[in-house]
Amino acid sequence: MKPWVLPICFASVLFLNGCGGNISNANTSINERSIAQTNKFIPSPIVLYSIPDDKLKSPIKELIHYETGDVSSVPLLTYQEWEDRGGRQPWRMEPFSVLQVVISNLVPENISTKENMLYSFKKSGNTAENKDGVVIKLINPKDDSLNNPSHASKLTYKMLVPHLGSYDITIQQPQESVEFIITKIVLNPNSTD
């Protein structure tokens, strides 16, 4: 073996290790920039549930019914029977009450329990807040109450959930019913507006 081969091999290994370290450092800084950009990413709204408008027009035989994550079709006759029997479920005629009951599943239990979603809201004008910081606000129509003094048949609420984002929730009274049902739920991740 020639005496100059070993030093050249040794120098080559050191040189390659040095370059490899620089490449690694370059990749690290690229990854750090990617992570920084990812933290600025704001996801688009996500439609979680929606009933097409044509399903709410006459003649209606069945209503699509959303309740705590379950979706089913309920004959309109069922709603009429509730009303004819003196409103066995009169809370279904009050939009804010419907909202409290049927969307309680949209808030994780570690943020607010179902019990707090149902019973711990304090109302002030068109806004209500529970003791866990969940806020529900009527945004359309611009009533001064959550209880729909304008007697609108379509209302939109915003529910702000700490550490999660917000939901835009539409609740409607189909043409042939006095009952209100949820017709659209849109999740706005990381949005507190």
Side-chain angles (χ1 to χ4, degrees):
M1 181 185 247
K2 306 251 182 213
W4 52 267
V5 172
L6 193 55
I8 289 178
C9 287
F10 185 73
S12 298
V13 169
L14 288 177
F15 176 75
L16 290 175
N17 280 340
C19 287
N22 290 338
I23 291 170
S24 175
N25 289 341
N27 285 340
T28 302
S29 63
I30 290 171
N31 287 338
E32 288 171 359
R33 277 184 270 151
S34 297
I35 291 169
Q37 289 173 349
T38 302
N39 288 339
K40 294 177 186 176
F41 174 74
I42 299 172
S44 298
I46 303 165
V47 177
L48 299 177
Y49 173 77
S50 181
I51 299 175
D53 286 339
D54 64 333
K55 298 286 185 186
L56 302 171
K57 293 180 181 172
S58 295
I60 299 173
K61 294 180 182 169
E62 294 187 327
L63 288 176
I64 298 172
H65 183 76
Y66 176 93
E67 190 156 342
T68 59
D70 293 328
V71 178
S72 60
S73 184
V74 178
L76 187 61
L77 181 60
T78 302
Y79 285 94
Q80 290 169 340
E81 286 174 355
W82 290 336
E83 184 183 348
D84 293 344
R85 291 183 183 162
R88 255 184 26 182
Q89 296 185 345
W91 60 271
R92 291 188 184 273
M93 293 184 279
E94 207 305 298
F96 182 70
S97 294
V98 171
L99 193 69
Q100 279 182 276
V101 172
V102 303
I103 59 141
S104 60
N105 68 299
L106 298 177
V107 179
E109 284 279 322
N110 65 336
I111 293 175
S112 187
T113 64
K114 184 175 181 176
E115 182 176 285
N116 288 348
M117 288 297 296
L118 293 174
Y119 305 114
S120 76
F121 279 94
K122 292 182 182 173
K123 297 178 185 178
S124 176
N126 67 353
T127 304
E129 184 173 357
N130 78 0
K131 63 184 184 178
D132 298 318
V134 175
V135 175
I136 297 176
K137 180 177 183 171
L138 177 63
I139 56 175
N140 189 21
K142 301 246 184 250
D143 285 345
D144 60 355
S145 168
L146 289 165
N147 297 326
N148 192 20
S150 69
H151 303 291
S153 61
K154 182 176 183 178
L155 300 99
T156 304
Y157 291 86
K158 182 166 289 287
M159 180 170 70
L160 303 167
V161 182
H163 314 293
L164 181 66
S166 67
Y167 294 94
D168 294 325
I169 303 164
T170 304
I171 186 167
Q172 273 180 267
Q173 204 172 31
Q175 291 177 0
E176 297 177 14
S177 175
V178 297
E179 313 286 335
F180 281 91
I181 61 170
I182 301 290
T183 56
K184 191 169 190 177
I185 302 171
V186 178
L187 171 63
N188 304 292
N190 302 322
S191 170
T192 56
D193 298 337

